[in-house]
Amino acid sequence: MPKVLCIGAEGGWIDYEVDLLCQQGCTSVSLGQRILRTETVVNVLLGHWLKE
C-alpha cells in the first residue's frame, strides 16, 4: 500500500489544514512543541519510516 508523508512548512499546519488531511485518511503525528527546520524533519521521519 502506498504511503504519503505530508510535511508542513516551518510555520506549521493550521487546524483547518490538519482537519482536511485527516478527513482524507491521513494520521496526524507530532515531533513535539519545538518547530524544526523542514530538512531536519525529512531526515528524522524518513529514518523512522525506513526502520519499520
Side-chain angles (χ1 to χ4, degrees):
M1 181 170 168
K3 293 185 180 182
V4 175
L5 184 59
C6 301
I7 299 172
E10 291 178 12
W13 297 96
I14 60 172
D15 291 339
Y16 174 75
E17 294 168 326
V18 174
D19 290 342
L20 285 177
L21 289 167
C22 289
Q23 289 173 18
Q24 299 302 313
C26 294
T27 302
S28 177
V29 297
S30 173
L31 296 176
Q33 293 295 317
R34 213 176 147 162
I35 296 175
L36 302 173
R37 294 182 61 109
T38 302
E39 53 270 17
T40 302
V41 173
V42 170
N43 290 323
V44 169
L45 293 178
L46 286 177
H48 178 72
W49 194 3
L50 294 172
K51 189 170 68 170
E52 290 182 357

